[in-house]
Amino acid sequence: MKQSFQPILFFSLLATSCLAADSKPKGEPQFPADVRVERSVAFLPEGRKEKADLYFPLTMAKEAKLPAVVLIHGGGWVSGRRDAEREINIGTTLARNGYIAMSIDYLLSDKKQAVWPTNLWDCKTAVRWLRKNGARFNVDPERIGVIGGSAGGHLAAMVALTTPADGLDPAAPYGDVSCAVKCCVDLYGIADIGTYHDVTMLGKTFAEAPELYRRASPVTYVRSNSVPFLLLHGTADQTVNLEQSKLLARKLEEFGVSPNLVIVTNAPHTFHLTSTPQDLRPVVLAFLTAHLASHR
C-alpha cells in the first residue's frame, strides 16, 4: 500500500543552534572492541583539518571487496563531529555487518561565513576518495552508499541526488573520479531548505537569494533515475518537521522511485539506530543489502 501524505507544512527555522543539538562526544570517544577503526584519515587536500574515521569488520578475507558507506554527521551545518555518539553507533553497526564505513568531517560554518557548497564538495570528495583508494582498503568501488542524520541527512541526499550536470561536483581533487553512490539513508534531513528562511551556511536569507535555496534543496534534484532512498523520521521531531521527509518521499514517488519512508513513533529529532524503542538496524541493513549486496 502506498504511503498517504498530508499537505506539506511550511515553518521557519527555530534557530541554527537548535539544529546543532546533535550530540558531541564527551571526552575521548569510545569504540567497541569488535570492530577495527582507523582514526583521523586525511581525504581532503593538504592543509584541510577535517579528517575521516574508517570502520572495518574485525576480520576480512585478504581478497575481499566489501561495500562501503560514507557517513555524514549532523549539527545544523555549524557543529558536530565524525565521532559523535550517533556516528559511532552507525559506523559500528555497519562494520559489524560486513560494510566499511567512512565517517567524515566537513567544513562547518562559524555563523559568519557561507560554507556552501564547500561542505557538499567535502562529502562528494569522500566518495571519490573511497573509490580512488578502494583497493588498499578492500572497498568495492562499484558498491558505495551514503548515510547521514539531520544536516548530514540533507548533505547525504544532495550527494545521492545531484549529478555532474547540476554543477555541484567539485573540480578537484580526483576530478576524473565519479561522486555517484548507489543508495542513500537519510535520517530526519531537510528536503526543502527554502522552508527555512535563514540558513547560516548559505550566507544569505531566502528573501535575498531564493534560487540559492532552491539549488541547495534535495527535492530540486529528484529524477526518474534517482537512486533508492530510505527515509527515517520521528513523530516527535521538534527541529526538522516530519513533513520534510514526507515531502521528499512524495517527490520520489512522483518520479517512480520507491520512497521507503519509515516513521518512528515518538522519536525526537536526534536518534541513532538503537536509541529508539524500534530497533532500526534491521531496517537499515535490509535496505543496504538490497542495494549494495551485489553489482547493479
Side-chain angles (χ1 to χ4, degrees), residues 59-195:
T59 58
M60 296 189 299
K62 185 177 180 180
E63 302 302 322
K65 292 296 181 184
L66 301 181
V69 180
V70 172
L71 170 54
I72 308 173
H73 71 74
W77 308 285
V78 301
S79 67
R81 292 175 56 96
R82 68 182 187 272
D83 54 7
E85 179 183 359
R86 173 183 52 211
E87 284 61 48
I88 292 176
N89 173 269
I90 295 173
T92 298
T93 296
L94 293 172
R96 285 171 174 162
N97 288 276
Y99 294 86
I100 295 169
M102 181 180 182
S103 185
I104 65 168
D105 292 327
Y106 51 88
L107 184 64
L108 299 175
S109 173
D110 63 2
K111 300 186 180 181
K112 297 179 182 178
Q113 67 176 11
V115 295
W116 178 265
T118 303
N119 50 6
L120 175 61
W121 290 347
D122 291 348
C123 299
K124 287 180 172 253
T125 296
V127 176
R128 283 178 170 170
W129 185 92
L130 264 182
R131 192 161 272 129
K132 181 80 171 180
N133 295 276
R136 63 190 177 102
F137 290 109
N138 294 81
V139 170
D140 185 340
E142 299 302 318
R143 295 190 289 160
I144 298 176
V146 64
I147 185 172
S150 192
H154 161 264
L155 290 169
M158 290 295 295
V159 169
L161 291 169
T162 55
T163 70
D166 298 313
L168 287 171
D169 285 4
Y174 319 118
D176 60 336
V177 179
S178 172
C179 305
V181 295
K182 292 291 188 182
C183 61
C184 177
V185 181
D186 176 355
L187 289 83
Y188 40 86
I190 295 174
D192 180 5
I193 285 194
T195 305

Side-chain angles (χ1 to χ4, degrees), residues 8-292:
I8 185 70
L9 302 177
F10 291 93
F11 49 96
S12 297
L13 179 65
L14 301 178
T16 303
S17 59
C18 186
L19 276 177
D22 296 293
S23 60
K24 294 183 180 181
K26 296 180 179 179
E28 190 66 21
Q30 300 298 310
F31 297 93
D34 61 342
V35 301
R36 181 169 67 86
V37 181
E38 187 169 334
R39 300 291 313 277
S40 301
V41 175
F43 71 100
L44 293 171
E46 186 175 354
R48 291 292 301 276
K49 66 179 182 180
E50 294 82 8
K51 307 297 182 190
D53 292 340
L54 295 173
Y55 293 74
F56 301 92
L58 199 57
T59 58
M60 296 189 299
K62 185 177 180 180
E63 302 302 322
K65 292 296 181 184
L66 301 181
V69 180
V70 172
L71 170 54
I72 308 173
H73 71 74
W77 308 285
V78 301
S79 67
R81 292 175 56 96
R82 68 182 187 272
D83 54 7
E85 179 183 359
R86 173 183 52 211
E87 284 61 48
I88 292 176
N89 173 269
I90 295 173
T92 298
T93 296
L94 293 172
R96 285 171 174 162
N97 288 276
Y99 294 86
I100 295 169
M102 181 180 182
S103 185
I104 65 168
D105 292 327
Y106 51 88
L107 184 64
L108 299 175
S109 173
D110 63 2
K111 300 186 180 181
K112 297 179 182 178
Q113 67 176 11
V115 295
W116 178 265
T118 303
N119 50 6
L120 175 61
W121 290 347
D122 291 348
C123 299
K124 287 180 172 253
T125 296
V127 176
R128 283 178 170 170
W129 185 92
L130 264 182
R131 192 161 272 129
K132 181 80 171 180
N133 295 276
R136 63 190 177 102
F137 290 109
N138 294 81
V139 170
D140 185 340
E142 299 302 318
R143 295 190 289 160
I144 298 176
V146 64
I147 185 172
S150 192
H154 161 264
L155 290 169
M158 290 295 295
V159 169
L161 291 169
T162 55
T163 70
D166 298 313
L168 287 171
D169 285 4
Y174 319 118
D176 60 336
V177 179
S178 172
C179 305
V181 295
K182 292 291 188 182
C183 61
C184 177
V185 181
D186 176 355
L187 289 83
Y188 40 86
I190 295 174
D192 180 5
I193 285 194
T195 305
Y196 297 87
H197 287 185
D198 186 6
V199 176
T200 302
M201 67 101 172
L202 293 178
K204 295 180 182 295
T205 66
F206 179 78
E208 292 171 327
E211 178 61 15
L212 173 63
Y213 279 66
R214 188 190 73 83
R215 282 183 52 78
S217 296
V219 289
T220 300
Y221 303 98
V222 176
R223 303 173 172 92
S224 59
N225 62 347
S226 293
V227 301
F229 265 70
L230 172 62
L231 303 163
L232 305 170
H233 213 124
T235 60
D237 195 327
Q238 298 298 308
T239 302
V240 175
N241 196 297
L242 171 59
E243 296 298 328
Q244 289 287 310
S245 287
K246 287 185 176 182
L247 171 62
L248 183 52
R250 183 166 62 243
K251 181 64 70 171
L252 288 163
E253 192 172 45
E254 285 175 6
F255 280 85
V257 181
S258 177
N260 294 300
L261 173 62
V262 176
I263 298 174
V264 187
T265 303
N266 295 326
H269 177 60
T270 301
F271 59 80
H272 54 65
L273 304 187
T274 57
S275 62
T276 68
Q278 180 180 351
D279 186 349
L280 297 170
R281 290 173 296 182
V283 175
V284 171
L285 292 170
F287 174 80
L288 293 176
T289 296
H291 301 292
L292 295 180

